[in-house]
């Protein structure tokens, strides 16, 4: 047993683990960091770029450490520099608030870098930062699914691609939410070093890269559900328990605070919301079920309510595409 352990440790010591390139002539990617940035938005792409042999520089406005949305502390390589020449700039998402969007220094630095860089790519709601500079005007872009409506409202000069994980406008690139940044990074590697290199990197990081498909959040079944208005005053949303599915089925689970004597309030409100959105009652008279024809496809939504105490109940929404 000891001999096996020794051999195993020797193998580990012999493994070559390479960081990103330090060659001044390597393709150079700058990664913007800011307080509240989403770690996966930049760590995933950094892994891809490093495996592809790119040189990577992380930057924040003042060069000081930042804390990500999940509490990870990250110290960038340096502060913004006008002398730094980048081949590509990555803009992650995260806590993209008004203070960040209104930061003139950040916007001007991005625009200055875009003049010499070959590519500029946003990840997730980093698209808001990029759109705020005007660099997305007249182009197609995507972002995280839950920000679709806000993005479309705030940037009417940008065409929102709800059914894409990645948009390629030549120089300006955008990706959908979170892990989609890995897809965007692989696509950028393909543009710079070719598809075979990109596929090799995907294999090395054990990622099932599907350039023209895969999980595209904006194409999931819940896209056909209406936007619900505020709950009645005697009903409180306590928690969102689950939220998942695929292109043909979606499940949502909620816990509501509502007195047992007022359960009917929630049922009445649901029926009004669905009816106002153009859905038709389905099933038995008292069933919480509705159907709708969306682009020649029939959808059925069923809601199951279950009381867990005198003051709480759960709601399970099941949406299915009908064949």
């Amino acid at each position: 047993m000891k001999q096996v352990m020794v051999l195993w440790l020797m193998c580990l010591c012999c493994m070559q683990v390479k960081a990103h390139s330090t060659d001044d002539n390597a393709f150079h990617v700058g990664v913007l960091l800011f307080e509240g940035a989403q770690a996966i938005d930049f760590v995933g792409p950094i892994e891809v770029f490093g495996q592809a042999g790119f040189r990577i520089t992380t930057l924040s406005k003042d060069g000081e450490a930042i804390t990500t949305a999940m509490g990870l502390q990250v110290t960038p390589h340096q502060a913004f520099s006008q002398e730094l020449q980048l081949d590509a700039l990555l803009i992650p998402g995260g806590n993209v608030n008004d203070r960040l969007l209104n930061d003139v220094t950040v916007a001007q630095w991005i625009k200055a870098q875009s003049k010499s860089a070959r590519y500029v790519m946003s990840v997730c709601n980093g698209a808001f930062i990029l759109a705020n500079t005007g660099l997305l005007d007249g182009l197609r872009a995507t972002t995280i699914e839950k920000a679709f409506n806000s993005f479309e409202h705030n940037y009417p000069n940008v065409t929102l691609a709800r059914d894409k994980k990645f948009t390629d406008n030549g120089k300006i690139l955008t990706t959908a939410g979170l892990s989609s940044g890995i897809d965007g990074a692989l696509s950028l590697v393909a543009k710079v070093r070719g598809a075979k290199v990109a596929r090799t990197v995907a294999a090395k990081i054990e990622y099932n890269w599907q350039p023209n498909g895969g999980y595209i959040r904006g194409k999931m079944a819940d896209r056909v559900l209406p936007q619900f208005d505020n709950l009645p005053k005697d009903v409180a949303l306590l928690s969102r328990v689950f939220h998942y599915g695929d292109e043909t089925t979606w499940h949502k689970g909620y816990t509501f605070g509502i007195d047992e004597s007022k359960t009917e309030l929630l049922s009445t409100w649901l029926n009004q919301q669905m009816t106002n959105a153009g859905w038709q009652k389905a099933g038995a008279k008292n069933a919480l079920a509705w159907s709708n024809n969306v682009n020649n496809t029939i959808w059925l939504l069923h809601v199951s309510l279950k009381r867990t105490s005198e003051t709480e109940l759960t709601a399970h929404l099941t949406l299915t595409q009908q064949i």
Side-chain angles (χ1 to χ4, degrees):
M1 182 63 179
K2 289 183 178 179
Q3 289 180 328
V4 173
M5 287 295 293
V6 170
L7 288 172
W8 180 73
L9 289 170
M10 289 175 64
C11 288
L12 283 180
C13 293
C14 291
M15 291 175 63
Q16 291 185 343
V17 181
K18 294 183 178 180
H20 61 89
S21 176
T22 57
D23 184 350
D24 288 344
N25 295 318
F27 188 86
H28 191 189
V29 181
V31 179
L32 172 66
L33 298 181
F34 54 87
E35 194 67 19
Q38 194 74 42
I40 192 173
D41 287 7
F42 63 87
V43 174
I46 283 175
E47 182 69 28
V48 170
F49 296 146
Q51 294 283 358
F54 290 178
R55 179 184 167 203
I56 301 165
T57 299
T58 53
L59 309 103
S60 66
K61 184 171 74 169
D62 54 11
E64 297 297 318
I66 62 101
T67 301
T68 70
M70 291 298 167
L72 178 68
Q73 287 195 321
V74 180
T75 302
H77 291 115
Q78 66 174 77
F80 289 173
S81 169
Q82 297 300 332
E83 289 72 37
L84 189 67
Q85 295 296 306
L86 299 173
D87 294 303
L89 174 63
L90 179 81
I91 304 170
N95 184 16
V96 180
N97 51 36
D98 288 342
R99 186 172 70 174
L100 178 60
L101 291 177
N102 293 326
D103 193 315
V104 176
T105 301
V106 173
Q108 288 181 341
W109 185 78
I110 290 173
K111 286 192 283 188
Q113 287 297 324
S114 72
K115 293 178 181 178
S116 57
R118 290 170 58 187
Y119 303 104
V120 178
M121 184 173 82
S122 67
V123 177
C124 197
N125 64 344
F128 283 74
I129 302 173
L130 184 56
N132 217 48
T133 66
L135 292 171
L136 279 176
D137 285 355
L139 304 179
R140 298 181 75 232
T142 189
T143 184
I144 189 169
E145 179 267 344
K146 66 181 181 181
F148 279 172
N149 292 341
S150 176
F151 186 86
E152 205 164 36
H153 173 76
N154 284 288
Y155 304 106
N157 294 328
V158 184
T159 301
L160 178 64
R162 293 172 176 259
D163 59 348
K164 299 293 182 182
K165 182 176 284 191
F166 174 72
T167 66
D168 184 348
N169 297 284
K171 178 173 183 172
I172 307 296
L173 319 168
T174 69
T175 81
L178 303 164
S179 65
S180 299
I182 298 174
D183 296 76
L186 288 166
S187 296
L188 180 55
V189 170
K191 288 168 74 71
V192 175
R193 298 196 57 197
K196 289 183 178 179
V197 172
R199 290 195 178 278
T200 300
V201 170
K204 288 179 69 176
I205 65 173
E206 300 188 20
Y207 186 73
N208 181 23
W209 182 40
Q210 301 179 54
N212 297 312
Y215 185 92
I216 301 175
R217 184 64 185 85
K219 295 178 69 175
M220 296 300 107
D222 66 328
R223 71 188 185 279
V224 305
L225 288 175
Q227 296 292 318
F228 295 124
D229 293 332
N230 293 331
L231 288 163
K233 65 177 182 179
D234 291 319
V235 182
L237 175 62
L238 301 182
S239 64
R240 294 176 173 84
V241 185
F242 53 83
H243 185 77
Y244 66 92
D246 54 31
E247 292 188 30
T248 61
T249 306
W250 201 262
H251 301 276
K252 289 188 175 188
Y254 301 92
T255 301
F256 293 101
I258 179 173
D259 289 338
E260 191 169 11
S261 61
K262 298 180 179 179
T263 302
E264 197 64 30
L265 274 176
L266 188 58
S267 301
T268 301
W269 176 81
L270 274 169
N271 190 53
Q272 289 175 341
Q273 294 292 304
M274 299 305 294
T275 301
N276 291 343
W279 290 65
Q280 308 297 318
K281 285 285 290 182
K285 181 179 179 181
N286 295 324
L288 294 176
W290 301 266
S291 66
N292 197 10
N293 186 328
V294 182
N295 296 325
N296 296 319
T297 299
I298 304 298
W299 294 88
L300 178 67
L301 176 69
H302 178 264
V303 179
S304 174
L305 301 180
K306 181 180 179 181
R307 184 157 289 281
T308 55
S309 73
E310 292 182 356
T311 59
E312 293 185 10
L313 63 74
T314 60
H316 180 181
L317 285 67
T318 301
L319 175 70
T320 54
Q321 179 181 314
Q322 304 298 292
I323 299 176

